[in-house]
Amino acid sequence: MEDGVCSRIYVKGGGGCSGESGGGGGKGSGSSKCGRWNPTAEQVKVLTELFRSGLRTPSSDQIQKISHHLSFYGKIESKNVFYWFQNHKARERQKRRKLSLPQQQHFILPPSSNLQRMFVFHLLFIPQFI
Amino acid sequence: MEDGVCSRIYVKGGGGCSGESGGGGGKGSGSSKCGRWNPTAEQVKVLTELFRSGLRTPSSDQIQKISHHLSFYGKIESKNVFYWFQNHKARERQKRRKLSLPQQQHFILPPSSNLQRMFVFHLLFIPQFI
DNA sequence: TTCTTATGAATGAAAG
DNA sequence: CTTTCATTCATAAGAA
């Protein structure tokens, strides 16, 4: 038996729910079933970056723009962004209160591309976006 | 190991295992790996007994107490207790749904009665019961 | 070993 | 915002 690692995320290949808008270097967020949103690693990375930069409760306008931009990496809707921030904030707080839930994950993910960095920068600091 | 089902990207998980907390006469979990919580028979027994007594969604405070008590038998964290009840409840419901349509099961004790609280409290601290 | 099952962990979605 | 529900992934344990 191989040693178990502590936690991981996975990226699935294939899967064909509906309109794939995968962009540069992004893998599909295909899921075996179309039930619920399955964020790509890139989407999670950007969302996490926004969160770490201080964004907690994006306005509906911000949500719209974020989800639109994230659609570059795969299928996504506004409500997904809304729920993501809501859940992430709640679970961060749970963890901090040492109630139950687990530790934060540190992504050793992809070669964070300049494109992505610039993208996050853009999201964060351009007034007309945020 | 066959692969190809999905490609995985590993994520840092904490800073290694938490220290062994086998308090008193508790036997170790037997595994020095830190993959995931491996409950001892005693821990499972207590949790099951609490569940059978009607406890479904313990409060944060209950979780703390339960996990502290169970740490006597081996390494355990609050989140393990939290997940245990979540999973146990969910899978009971899941099983029930697959077999026959939900005939709402009535538990002997209503969700937040003082009677239940007292029972749980005593169950937790009376050694010979466990 | 490989396959199957049981279950710990995680998280999207939603209810309260 | 907090808490709960549903579904899924991953893995440990047992069966074959």
Side-chain angles (χ1 to χ4, degrees):
Chain A
M1 246 359 153
E2 291 307 298
D3 164 58
V5 289
C6 290
S7 58
R8 62 185 55 74
I9 71 164
Y10 62 94
V11 178
K12 300 194 209 97
C17 205
S18 47
E20 178 76 16
S21 15
K27 306 186 69 165
S29 63
S31 172
S32 39
K33 210 172 181 183
C34 313
R36 73 182 198 187
W37 175 54
N38 210 21
T40 68
E42 290 85 357
Q43 288 171 335
V44 172
K45 184 175 174 62
V46 172
L47 288 169
T48 302
E49 203 58 45
L50 288 168
F51 187 89
R52 285 186 180 175
S53 299
L55 187 58
R56 289 293 181 278
T57 309
S59 65
S60 29
D61 201 53
Q62 289 174 313
I63 289 176
Q64 288 291 325
K65 284 167 176 157
I66 293 172
S67 81
H68 176 260
H69 282 77
L70 286 183
S71 69
F72 177 78
Y73 298 110
K75 190 172 186 297
I76 190 173
E77 295 175 58
S78 300
K79 75 170 187 178
N80 303 133
V81 175
F82 170 78
Y83 282 136
W84 191 94
F85 276 94
Q86 195 162 248
N87 282 320
H88 203 75
K89 179 170 53 178
R91 282 163 181 152
E92 182 86 356
R93 180 170 293 171
Q94 276 183 326
K95 180 186 62 181
R96 288 290 186 262
R97 280 190 319 207
K98 301 185 75 69
L99 292 190
S100 39
L101 287 177
Q103 70 229 344
Q104 171 156 5
Q105 297 179 339
H106 293 143
F107 295 92
I108 318 178
L109 288 185
S112 117
S113 63
N114 282 344
L115 176 60
Q116 200 151 60
R117 235 185 283 277
M118 290 175 59
F119 172 66
V120 172
F121 181 84
H122 184 80
L123 288 184
L124 286 174
F125 299 112
I126 296 210
Q128 63 226 73
F129 181 82
I130 300 288
Chain B
M1 273 310 189
E2 66 277 14
D3 58 351
V5 177
C6 64
S7 54
R8 293 173 297 190
I9 301 178
Y10 290 91
V11 170
K12 172 185 186 299
C17 332
S18 309
E20 185 71 20
S21 56
K27 77 176 177 69
S29 308
S31 172
S32 22
K33 292 182 180 180
C34 49
R36 73 181 194 186
W37 174 56
N38 197 21
T40 66
E42 293 84 3
Q43 288 172 335
V44 172
K45 179 170 183 174
V46 173
L47 290 169
T48 302
E49 206 53 52
L50 289 168
F51 190 88
R52 277 169 44 85
S53 79
L55 185 62
R56 288 295 179 275
T57 52
S59 67
S60 318
D61 196 55
Q62 287 174 314
I63 289 177
Q64 289 292 326
K65 286 178 172 132
I66 293 171
S67 109
H68 178 261
H69 179 74
L70 290 183
S71 70
F72 178 80
Y73 299 107
K75 178 169 171 267
I76 191 173
E77 297 174 58
S78 304
K79 69 171 187 176
N80 303 132
V81 175
F82 172 81
Y83 283 137
W84 192 93
F85 277 94
Q86 288 291 305
N87 284 319
H88 207 75
K89 178 171 57 176
R91 275 155 187 158
E92 184 192 62
R93 178 179 291 137
Q94 191 179 50
K95 195 168 296 180
R96 187 185 66 205
R97 194 177 318 159
K98 282 180 179 176
L99 294 181
S100 61
L101 269 191
Q103 186 59 298
Q104 185 64 27
Q105 188 77 15
H106 288 152
F107 295 101
I108 299 174
L109 300 172
S112 18
S113 66
N114 286 335
L115 182 56
Q116 181 190 347
R117 274 188 224 282
M118 290 175 58
F119 179 75
V120 169
F121 180 83
H122 284 105
L123 179 59
L124 280 173
F125 294 102
I126 297 182
Q128 58 263 44
F129 185 86
I130 301 168

